[in-house]
Amino acid sequence: MDTGDELLRNLDKLHTTELGVERIKRNLSLDTEDVVEWCKAKIDSAGAVITRNGKNWYVNVDELILTVNAYSYTIITAHKEKK
């Protein structure tokens, strides 16, 4: 199991698409201009649990799950954790 060090070392490569920005804002009810920087801060926070499953990284933090493609470092989506 990968510990997420690779993702943390490559935070500068993190990006998303215009549709990704809209999807993340909608799913998390975010009111921020820079979604990528917001996600970077969440991923780099002390409580973040990073796991890799296949081609994606999953970051569980603050009752949220961020999904990042492990090869392109594209933030695919984010959603609130289901209880």
Side-chain angles (χ1 to χ4, degrees):
M1 179 68 64
D2 211 318
T3 62
D5 290 339
E6 181 183 348
L7 179 59
L8 292 172
R9 281 193 309 270
N10 290 287
L11 279 180
D12 59 319
K13 296 179 183 177
L14 213 61
H15 65 279
T16 193
T17 62
E18 284 185 35
L19 286 175
V21 168
E22 292 174 22
R23 184 171 43 249
I24 293 164
K25 281 184 170 184
R26 182 183 63 242
N27 289 353
L28 300 181
S29 303
L30 284 183
D31 185 26
T32 183
E33 289 302 312
D34 197 339
V35 170
V36 173
E37 285 302 317
W38 186 90
C39 289
K40 284 181 184 179
K42 287 293 183 184
I43 293 168
D44 201 28
S45 67
V49 177
I50 303 170
T51 56
R52 182 168 173 178
N53 187 357
K55 64 179 183 173
N56 293 328
W57 293 102
Y58 297 94
V59 183
N60 291 60
V61 60
D62 298 338
E63 299 182 359
L64 306 172
I65 300 173
L66 305 173
T67 305
V68 179
N69 181 282
Y71 303 108
S72 65
Y73 296 100
T74 304
I75 306 165
I76 299 166
T77 191
H79 58 272
K80 296 176 182 174
E81 201 169 18
K82 294 184 173 102
K83 298 286 180 181

Coordinates of all heavy atoms in Angstrom, one line a residue:
M1 N 0.8 -1.2 0.0 CA 0.0 0.0 0.0 C 0.9 1.2 0.0 O 1.8 1.4 0.8 CB -0.9 0.0 1.2 CG -1.8 1.2 1.4 SD -3.2 1.3 0.1 CE -4.1 -0.1 0.4
D2 N 0.6 2.1 -0.9 CA 1.4 3.4 -1.0 C 0.9 4.3 0.1 O -0.2 4.5 0.3 CB 1.2 4.0 -2.4 CG 2.4 4.7 -2.9 OD1 2.9 5.5 -2.1 OD2 2.7 4.6 -4.1
T3 N 1.9 5.0 0.7 CA 1.6 5.9 1.8 C 1.2 7.3 1.4 O 0.7 8.1 2.2 CB 2.7 6.0 2.8 OG1 3.8 6.6 2.1 CG2 3.1 4.7 3.3
G4 N 1.3 7.7 0.2 CA 0.9 9.0 -0.3 C 2.1 10.0 -0.4 O 1.9 11.1 -0.7
D5 N 3.3 9.5 0.0 CA 4.5 10.4 -0.1 C 4.7 11.0 -1.5 O 5.0 12.1 -1.7 CB 5.7 9.7 0.3 CG 5.8 9.4 1.8 OD1 5.0 10.1 2.6 OD2 6.5 8.5 2.3
E6 N 4.4 10.1 -2.5 CA 4.6 10.5 -3.9 C 3.6 11.7 -4.2 O 4.0 12.7 -4.9 CB 4.3 9.4 -4.9 CG 4.5 9.7 -6.3 CD 4.2 8.6 -7.3 OE1 4.1 7.5 -6.8 OE2 4.1 8.9 -8.5
L7 N 2.4 11.6 -3.8 CA 1.5 12.7 -4.0 C 1.9 14.0 -3.3 O 1.9 15.0 -3.9 CB 0.1 12.3 -3.5 CG -1.0 13.3 -3.7 CD1 -1.2 13.7 -5.2 CD2 -2.4 12.8 -3.2
L8 N 2.3 13.9 -2.1 CA 2.8 15.0 -1.4 C 4.0 15.7 -2.0 O 4.1 16.9 -2.1 CB 3.1 14.7 0.1 CG 1.9 14.3 0.9 CD1 2.3 13.8 2.3 CD2 1.0 15.5 1.1
R9 N 4.9 14.9 -2.6 CA 6.1 15.4 -3.2 C 5.8 16.1 -4.6 O 6.6 16.9 -5.0 CB 7.1 14.3 -3.5 CG 7.9 13.8 -2.4 CD 9.1 12.9 -2.8 NE 8.7 11.8 -3.7 CZ 8.4 10.6 -3.2 NH1 8.3 10.4 -2.0 NH2 8.0 9.7 -4.1
N10 N 4.6 15.8 -5.1 CA 4.2 16.3 -6.4 C 3.0 17.3 -6.4 O 2.3 17.4 -7.4 CB 4.0 15.2 -7.4 CG 5.2 14.5 -7.8 OD1 6.1 15.0 -8.5 ND2 5.4 13.3 -7.2
L11 N 2.8 17.9 -5.2 CA 1.7 18.8 -5.1 C 1.7 19.9 -6.1 O 0.7 20.4 -6.5 CB 1.6 19.4 -3.7 CG 1.0 18.5 -2.6 CD1 1.0 19.2 -1.3 CD2 -0.4 18.1 -3.0
D12 N 2.9 20.3 -6.5 CA 3.1 21.4 -7.5 C 2.5 21.0 -8.9 O 2.2 21.9 -9.7 CB 4.5 21.8 -7.6 CG 5.4 20.7 -8.1 OD1 5.2 19.6 -7.6 OD2 6.3 21.0 -8.9
K13 N 2.3 19.7 -9.1 CA 1.8 19.3 -10.4 C 0.3 19.2 -10.4 O -0.4 18.9 -11.4 CB 2.4 17.9 -10.8 CG 3.9 17.9 -11.0 CD 4.3 16.5 -11.3 CE 5.8 16.5 -11.5 NZ 6.3 15.1 -11.7
L14 N -0.3 19.4 -9.2 CA -1.8 19.2 -9.1 C -2.5 20.2 -9.9 O -2.2 21.4 -9.9 CB -2.1 19.4 -7.6 CG -3.3 18.5 -7.1 CD1 -3.0 17.1 -7.2 CD2 -3.5 18.9 -5.6
H15 N -3.5 19.8 -10.6 CA -4.4 20.7 -11.4 C -5.7 20.0 -11.6 O -5.9 18.9 -11.2 CB -3.7 20.9 -12.8 CG -3.6 19.7 -13.6 ND1 -2.6 18.8 -13.4 CD2 -4.4 19.2 -14.6 CE1 -2.7 17.8 -14.3 NE2 -3.8 18.0 -15.0
T16 N -6.6 20.7 -12.3 CA -7.9 20.2 -12.6 C -8.4 20.9 -13.9 O -7.8 21.8 -14.4 CB -8.9 20.2 -11.5 OG1 -10.1 19.4 -11.8 CG2 -9.4 21.6 -11.2
T17 N -9.6 20.4 -14.4 CA -10.2 21.0 -15.6 C -11.2 22.0 -15.2 O -11.6 22.1 -14.0 CB -10.8 19.9 -16.4 OG1 -11.9 19.3 -15.7 CG2 -9.9 18.8 -16.9
E18 N -11.7 22.8 -16.1 CA -12.8 23.7 -15.8 C -14.0 23.0 -15.3 O -14.7 23.4 -14.3 CB -13.2 24.5 -17.0 CG -12.2 25.6 -17.4 CD -12.7 26.4 -18.6 OE1 -13.9 26.7 -18.7 OE2 -11.8 26.9 -19.3
L19 N -14.4 21.8 -15.9 CA -15.5 21.0 -15.4 C -15.2 20.5 -14.0 O -16.1 20.4 -13.1 CB -15.8 19.9 -16.3 CG -16.5 20.3 -17.6 CD1 -16.6 19.1 -18.6 CD2 -17.8 20.9 -17.4
G20 N -13.9 20.1 -13.7 CA -13.5 19.7 -12.4 C -13.7 20.7 -11.4 O -14.2 20.4 -10.3
V21 N -13.4 22.0 -11.7 CA -13.6 23.1 -10.7 C -15.1 23.2 -10.4 O -15.4 23.3 -9.2 CB -13.0 24.4 -11.3 CG1 -13.5 25.6 -10.5 CG2 -11.5 24.4 -11.4
E22 N -15.9 23.2 -11.4 CA -17.4 23.3 -11.2 C -17.9 22.1 -10.4 O -18.7 22.3 -9.4 CB -18.1 23.4 -12.5 CG -17.8 24.6 -13.3 CD -18.4 24.6 -14.7 OE1 -19.4 23.8 -14.9 OE2 -18.0 25.3 -15.6
R23 N -17.4 20.9 -10.7 CA -17.9 19.7 -10.0 C -17.5 19.8 -8.5 O -18.3 19.5 -7.6 CB -17.3 18.5 -10.7 CG -17.8 17.2 -10.1 CD -17.4 16.0 -10.9 NE -16.0 16.0 -11.4 CZ -15.7 16.2 -12.7 NH1 -16.6 16.3 -13.6 NH2 -14.4 16.2 -13.1
I24 N -16.2 20.1 -8.2 CA -15.7 20.2 -6.9 C -16.5 21.3 -6.1 O -16.9 21.0 -4.9 CB -14.2 20.4 -6.8 CG1 -13.5 19.2 -7.4 CG2 -13.7 20.7 -5.4 CD1 -12.1 19.4 -7.8
K25 N -16.6 22.5 -6.7 CA -17.4 23.5 -6.0 C -18.8 23.1 -5.6 O -19.3 23.3 -4.5 CB -17.4 24.8 -6.8 CG -16.1 25.6 -6.8 CD -16.3 26.9 -7.6 CE -15.2 27.8 -7.5 NZ -15.4 29.1 -8.2
R26 N -19.4 22.5 -6.6 CA -20.8 22.0 -6.4 C -20.9 20.9 -5.3 O -21.7 21.0 -4.4 CB -21.4 21.5 -7.7 CG -22.9 21.1 -7.6 CD -23.4 20.5 -8.9 NE -22.7 19.3 -9.3 CZ -22.0 19.2 -10.4 NH1 -21.8 20.2 -11.3 NH2 -21.4 18.0 -10.7
N27 N -20.1 19.9 -5.4 CA -20.1 18.8 -4.5 C -19.8 19.2 -3.1 O -20.3 18.6 -2.1 CB -19.2 17.7 -4.9 CG -19.6 17.0 -6.2 OD1 -20.7 17.2 -6.7 ND2 -18.8 16.1 -6.7
L28 N -18.9 20.2 -2.9 CA -18.5 20.5 -1.5 C -19.1 21.9 -1.1 O -18.8 22.3 0.0 CB -17.0 20.6 -1.5 CG -16.2 19.4 -1.8 CD1 -14.7 19.6 -1.7 CD2 -16.6 18.2 -0.9
S29 N -19.9 22.5 -1.9 CA -20.5 23.8 -1.6 C -19.4 24.8 -1.3 O -19.5 25.5 -0.3 CB -21.5 23.7 -0.4 OG -22.5 22.7 -0.7
L30 N -18.4 24.8 -2.1 CA -17.3 25.7 -1.9 C -17.5 27.1 -2.5 O -18.1 27.2 -3.5 CB -16.0 25.2 -2.6 CG -15.3 24.0 -1.9 CD1 -14.0 23.7 -2.7 CD2 -15.0 24.3 -0.5
D31 N -17.0 28.1 -1.8 CA -17.1 29.5 -2.3 C -15.7 30.0 -2.3 O -15.3 30.9 -1.6 CB -18.0 30.3 -1.4 CG -18.2 31.7 -2.0 OD1 -18.1 31.9 -3.2 OD2 -18.4 32.6 -1.2
T32 N -14.8 29.4 -3.2 CA -13.4 29.8 -3.3 C -13.1 30.0 -4.8 O -13.6 29.3 -5.6 CB -12.5 28.8 -2.6 OG1 -11.1 29.3 -2.7 CG2 -12.5 27.5 -3.3
E33 N -12.2 30.9 -5.0 CA -11.8 31.2 -6.4 C -10.8 30.1 -6.9 O -10.8 29.7 -8.0 CB -11.2 32.6 -6.6 CG -12.2 33.7 -6.4 CD -13.3 33.6 -7.5 OE1 -13.0 33.4 -8.7 OE2 -14.5 33.6 -7.1
D34 N -9.8 29.7 -6.0 CA -8.8 28.8 -6.4 C -9.0 27.4 -5.8 O -8.5 27.1 -4.7 CB -7.4 29.4 -6.0 CG -6.3 28.7 -6.7 OD1 -6.5 27.6 -7.2 OD2 -5.2 29.3 -6.8
V35 N -9.7 26.6 -6.5 CA -10.1 25.3 -6.0 C -8.8 24.4 -5.9 O -8.7 23.6 -4.9 CB -11.1 24.6 -7.0 CG1 -11.3 23.1 -6.6 CG2 -12.4 25.3 -6.9
V36 N -7.9 24.5 -6.8 CA -6.6 23.7 -6.8 C -5.8 24.0 -5.5 O -5.4 23.1 -4.8 CB -5.8 23.9 -8.1 CG1 -4.5 23.2 -7.9 CG2 -6.6 23.4 -9.3
E37 N -5.7 25.3 -5.2 CA -4.9 25.7 -4.0 C -5.6 25.2 -2.7 O -5.0 24.7 -1.8 CB -4.7 27.2 -3.9 CG -3.6 27.7 -4.9 CD -2.3 27.0 -4.7 OE1 -1.8 26.8 -3.5 OE2 -1.6 26.7 -5.7
W38 N -7.0 25.3 -2.7 CA -7.8 24.8 -1.6 C -7.5 23.3 -1.4 O -7.3 22.8 -0.3 CB -9.3 25.1 -1.9 CG -10.2 24.7 -0.7 CD1 -10.5 25.6 0.3 CD2 -10.8 23.5 -0.5 NE1 -11.4 24.9 1.2 CE2 -11.5 23.6 0.7 CE3 -10.8 22.3 -1.2 CZ2 -12.3 22.6 1.2 CZ3 -11.6 21.2 -0.6 CH2 -12.3 21.4 0.6
C39 N -7.5 22.5 -2.5 CA -7.3 21.1 -2.5 C -5.9 20.8 -2.0 O -5.7 19.8 -1.2 CB -7.6 20.4 -3.8 SG -9.3 20.4 -4.3
K40 N -4.9 21.5 -2.5 CA -3.5 21.3 -2.1 C -3.4 21.5 -0.6 O -2.7 20.7 0.1 CB -2.6 22.3 -2.8 CG -2.3 22.0 -4.2 CD -1.3 23.1 -4.7 CE -1.0 22.9 -6.2 NZ -0.1 23.9 -6.7
A41 N -4.0 22.5 0.0 CA -4.0 22.7 1.4 C -4.6 21.6 2.2 O -4.1 21.1 3.2 CB -4.7 24.0 1.8
K42 N -5.7 21.0 1.7 CA -6.4 19.9 2.3 C -5.5 18.7 2.3 O -5.3 18.0 3.3 CB -7.7 19.6 1.7 CG -8.8 20.6 2.0 CD -9.2 20.5 3.4 CE -10.3 21.5 3.7 NZ -10.6 21.5 5.2
I43 N -4.9 18.4 1.1 CA -4.0 17.2 1.0 C -2.8 17.3 1.9 O -2.4 16.3 2.4 CB -3.6 17.1 -0.5 CG1 -4.8 16.7 -1.4 CG2 -2.5 16.0 -0.7 CD1 -4.6 16.8 -2.9
D44 N -2.3 18.5 2.0 CA -1.1 18.7 2.8 C -1.3 18.9 4.3 O -0.4 19.1 5.1 CB -0.3 19.9 2.3 CG 1.2 19.9 2.6 OD1 1.7 18.8 2.8 OD2 1.7 21.0 2.8
S45 N -2.6 18.9 4.7 CA -2.9 19.1 6.1 C -2.6 17.9 7.0 O -2.5 16.7 6.5 CB -4.4 19.5 6.3 OG -5.2 18.4 5.9
A46 N -2.4 18.1 8.3 CA -2.0 17.0 9.2 C -2.9 15.9 9.2 O -2.5 14.7 9.4 CB -1.8 17.6 10.6
G47 N -4.2 16.1 9.1 CA -5.2 15.0 9.3 C -5.5 14.2 8.0 O -6.3 13.3 8.0
A48 N -4.9 14.5 6.9 CA -5.1 13.9 5.6 C -4.6 12.4 5.6 O -3.5 12.2 6.0 CB -4.5 14.7 4.5
V49 N -5.5 11.5 5.2 CA -5.1 10.1 5.0 C -5.1 9.8 3.5 O -6.2 9.9 2.9 CB -6.1 9.2 5.8 CG1 -5.7 7.7 5.5 CG2 -6.1 9.5 7.3
I50 N -3.9 9.5 3.0 CA -3.8 9.3 1.6 C -3.6 7.9 1.3 O -2.7 7.2 1.8 CB -2.6 10.2 1.0 CG1 -2.8 11.6 1.4 CG2 -2.4 10.0 -0.5 CD1 -1.6 12.5 1.1
T51 N -4.4 7.3 0.3 CA -4.3 6.0 -0.1 C -4.3 5.9 -1.6 O -4.8 6.8 -2.3 CB -5.4 5.1 0.5 OG1 -6.6 5.6 0.1 CG2 -5.3 5.0 2.0
R52 N -3.7 4.9 -2.2 CA -3.8 4.7 -3.6 C -4.5 3.4 -3.9 O -4.2 2.4 -3.3 CB -2.4 4.7 -4.2 CG -2.4 4.6 -5.7 CD -1.1 4.9 -6.3 NE -1.2 4.6 -7.8 CZ -0.2 4.8 -8.6 NH1 1.0 5.3 -8.2 NH2 -0.3 4.5 -9.9
N53 N -5.4 3.5 -4.8 CA -6.1 2.3 -5.3 C -6.1 2.3 -6.8 O -6.8 3.2 -7.4 CB -7.5 2.2 -4.7 CG -8.2 0.9 -5.0 OD1 -7.7 0.1 -5.7 ND2 -9.4 0.8 -4.5
G54 N -5.3 1.5 -7.5 CA -5.2 1.5 -8.9 C -4.6 2.8 -9.4 O -3.5 3.2 -9.0
K55 N -5.3 3.5 -10.3 CA -4.8 4.7 -11.0 C -5.1 5.9 -10.2 O -4.7 7.0 -10.7 CB -5.3 4.8 -12.4 CG -6.8 5.0 -12.5 CD -7.3 5.1 -13.9 CE -8.8 5.4 -13.9 NZ -9.3 5.7 -15.2
N56 N -5.8 5.9 -9.1 CA -6.1 7.1 -8.3 C -5.6 7.1 -6.9 O -5.5 6.1 -6.2 CB -7.7 7.2 -8.3 CG -8.3 7.4 -9.6 OD1 -7.7 8.1 -10.5 ND2 -9.5 7.0 -9.8
W57 N -5.4 8.3 -6.5 CA -5.1 8.6 -5.1 C -6.4 9.0 -4.4 O -7.2 9.7 -5.1 CB -4.1 9.8 -4.9 CG -2.8 9.6 -5.4 CD1 -2.2 10.0 -6.6 CD2 -1.7 8.9 -4.7 NE1 -0.9 9.6 -6.6 CE2 -0.6 9.0 -5.5 CE3 -1.7 8.2 -3.5 CZ2 0.6 8.4 -5.1 CZ3 -0.5 7.7 -3.1 CH2 0.7 7.7 -3.9
Y58 N -6.7 8.6 -3.2 CA -7.9 9.1 -2.5 C -7.4 9.7 -1.2 O -6.6 9.1 -0.5 CB -8.8 7.9 -2.2 CG -9.3 7.2 -3.4 CD1 -8.6 6.1 -4.0 CD2 -10.4 7.7 -4.0 CE1 -9.1 5.6 -5.2 CE2 -10.9 7.1 -5.2 CZ -10.2 6.1 -5.8 OH -10.7 5.5 -6.9
V59 N -7.8 10.9 -1.0 CA -7.4 11.7 0.2 C -8.7 11.9 1.1 O -9.6 12.6 0.7 CB -6.8 13.1 -0.2 CG1 -6.4 13.8 1.0 CG2 -5.7 12.9 -1.2
N60 N -8.6 11.3 2.3 CA -9.7 11.4 3.2 C -9.3 12.5 4.2 O -8.3 12.3 4.9 CB -10.0 10.1 4.0 CG -10.6 9.1 3.1 OD1 -10.0 8.7 2.1 ND2 -11.8 8.7 3.4
V61 N -10.0 13.6 4.3 CA -9.7 14.7 5.2 C -10.9 15.5 5.5 O -11.7 15.8 4.6 CB -8.5 15.6 4.7 CG1 -8.9 16.2 3.3 CG2 -8.1 16.6 5.7
D62 N -11.1 15.8 6.8 CA -12.2 16.7 7.2 C -13.6 16.2 6.7 O -14.4 17.0 6.2 CB -12.0 18.1 6.8 CG -10.8 18.7 7.5 OD1 -10.3 18.2 8.5 OD2 -10.2 19.7 6.9
E63 N -13.8 14.9 6.7 CA -15.0 14.2 6.2 C -15.3 14.5 4.8 O -16.4 14.5 4.3 CB -16.2 14.7 7.1 CG -16.1 14.3 8.6 CD -17.3 14.7 9.4 OE1 -18.2 15.3 8.9 OE2 -17.2 14.4 10.6
L64 N -14.2 14.6 4.0 CA -14.2 14.8 2.6 C -13.3 13.7 1.9 O -12.4 13.3 2.5 CB -13.7 16.2 2.1 CG -14.3 17.4 2.8 CD1 -13.5 18.6 2.4 CD2 -15.8 17.6 2.4
I65 N -13.6 13.4 0.7 CA -12.8 12.5 -0.1 C -12.4 13.2 -1.4 O -13.3 13.6 -2.2 CB -13.5 11.2 -0.4 CG1 -13.8 10.5 0.9 CG2 -12.5 10.3 -1.2 CD1 -14.6 9.2 0.7
L66 N -11.1 13.4 -1.6 CA -10.6 14.0 -2.9 C -10.1 12.9 -3.7 O -9.4 12.0 -3.2 CB -9.5 15.0 -2.6 CG -9.9 16.2 -1.7 CD1 -8.6 17.0 -1.4 CD2 -10.9 17.1 -2.3
T67 N -10.4 12.8 -5.0 CA -9.9 11.8 -5.9 C -8.9 12.5 -6.9 O -9.3 13.4 -7.6 CB -11.0 11.1 -6.7 OG1 -12.0 10.6 -5.7 CG2 -10.5 10.0 -7.5
V68 N -7.7 11.9 -7.0 CA -6.7 12.5 -7.8 C -6.1 11.4 -8.7 O -5.7 10.4 -8.2 CB -5.5 13.2 -7.0 CG1 -4.4 13.7 -7.9 CG2 -6.1 14.2 -6.0
N69 N -6.0 11.7 -10.0 CA -5.4 10.7 -10.9 C -3.9 10.6 -10.6 O -3.2 11.6 -10.5 CB -5.5 11.1 -12.4 CG -4.9 10.1 -13.3 OD1 -3.7 10.1 -13.5 ND2 -5.8 9.3 -13.9
A70 N -3.4 9.4 -10.4 CA -2.0 9.1 -9.9 C -1.0 9.4 -11.0 O 0.2 9.6 -10.7 CB -1.9 7.7 -9.4
Y71 N -1.3 9.4 -12.2 CA -0.4 9.6 -13.3 C -0.3 11.1 -13.8 O 0.8 11.6 -14.0 CB -0.7 8.7 -14.5 CG -0.7 7.3 -14.1 CD1 -1.9 6.6 -14.0 CD2 0.4 6.6 -13.7 CE1 -2.0 5.2 -13.6 CE2 0.4 5.3 -13.3 CZ -0.8 4.6 -13.2 OH -0.9 3.3 -12.8
S72 N -1.5 11.7 -13.9 CA -1.5 13.1 -14.4 C -1.6 14.1 -13.3 O -1.5 15.3 -13.6 CB -2.7 13.2 -15.4 OG -3.9 13.1 -14.7
Y73 N -1.9 13.7 -12.1 CA -2.1 14.6 -10.9 C -3.3 15.5 -11.2 O -3.3 16.7 -10.7 CB -0.8 15.4 -10.6 CG 0.3 14.4 -10.1 CD1 1.3 14.1 -11.0 CD2 0.3 13.9 -8.9 CE1 2.3 13.2 -10.6 CE2 1.2 13.0 -8.4 CZ 2.2 12.6 -9.3 OH 3.2 11.8 -8.9
T74 N -4.3 15.1 -11.9 CA -5.5 15.8 -12.1 C -6.5 15.5 -11.0 O -6.7 14.3 -10.7 CB -6.2 15.4 -13.5 OG1 -5.2 15.6 -14.5 CG2 -7.4 16.2 -13.7
I75 N -7.0 16.6 -10.4 CA -8.0 16.4 -9.3 C -9.3 16.0 -10.1 O -9.8 16.8 -10.9 CB -8.3 17.6 -8.5 CG1 -6.9 18.1 -7.9 CG2 -9.3 17.3 -7.4 CD1 -7.0 19.5 -7.4
I76 N -9.8 14.8 -9.9 CA -10.9 14.3 -10.7 C -12.2 14.8 -10.1 O -13.1 15.3 -10.8 CB -10.9 12.8 -10.8 CG1 -9.7 12.3 -11.5 CG2 -12.2 12.3 -11.5 CD1 -9.4 10.9 -11.4
T77 N -12.4 14.6 -8.8 CA -13.6 15.0 -8.1 C -13.3 15.1 -6.6 O -12.3 14.7 -6.1 CB -14.8 14.0 -8.4 OG1 -16.0 14.6 -7.9 CG2 -14.5 12.7 -7.8
A78 N -14.3 15.6 -5.9 CA -14.3 15.6 -4.4 C -15.7 15.5 -4.0 O -16.6 16.0 -4.6 CB -13.7 16.9 -4.0
H79 N -15.9 14.9 -2.9 CA -17.3 14.8 -2.3 C -17.2 14.6 -0.8 O -16.2 14.2 -0.3 CB -18.1 13.6 -3.0 CG -17.5 12.3 -2.9 ND1 -16.5 11.8 -3.8 CD2 -17.6 11.3 -1.9 CE1 -16.1 10.6 -3.4 NE2 -16.8 10.3 -2.3
K80 N -18.3 14.8 -0.2 CA -18.5 14.7 1.2 C -18.5 13.2 1.5 O -19.2 12.4 0.8 CB -19.7 15.4 1.8 CG -19.6 16.9 1.6 CD -20.8 17.6 2.0 CE -20.7 19.1 1.8 NZ -21.8 19.9 2.0
E81 N -17.9 12.8 2.6 CA -17.8 11.4 3.0 C -19.2 10.9 3.4 O -19.9 11.6 4.2 CB -16.8 11.2 4.1 CG -16.3 9.8 4.3 CD -15.1 9.7 5.2 OE1 -14.9 10.7 6.0 OE2 -14.4 8.7 5.2
K82 N -19.6 9.8 2.9 CA -20.9 9.2 3.3 C -20.8 8.6 4.7 O -19.9 7.9 5.0 CB -21.4 8.2 2.3 CG -21.7 8.8 1.0 CD -22.2 7.7 0.0 CE -22.6 8.4 -1.3 NZ -21.7 8.2 -2.3
K83 N -21.8 8.9 5.5 CA -21.8 8.4 6.9 C -22.4 7.0 7.0 O -23.2 6.6 6.3 CB -22.7 9.3 7.8 CG -22.2 10.7 7.9 CD -21.0 10.8 8.8 CE -20.4 12.2 8.8 NZ -19.3 12.4 9.6

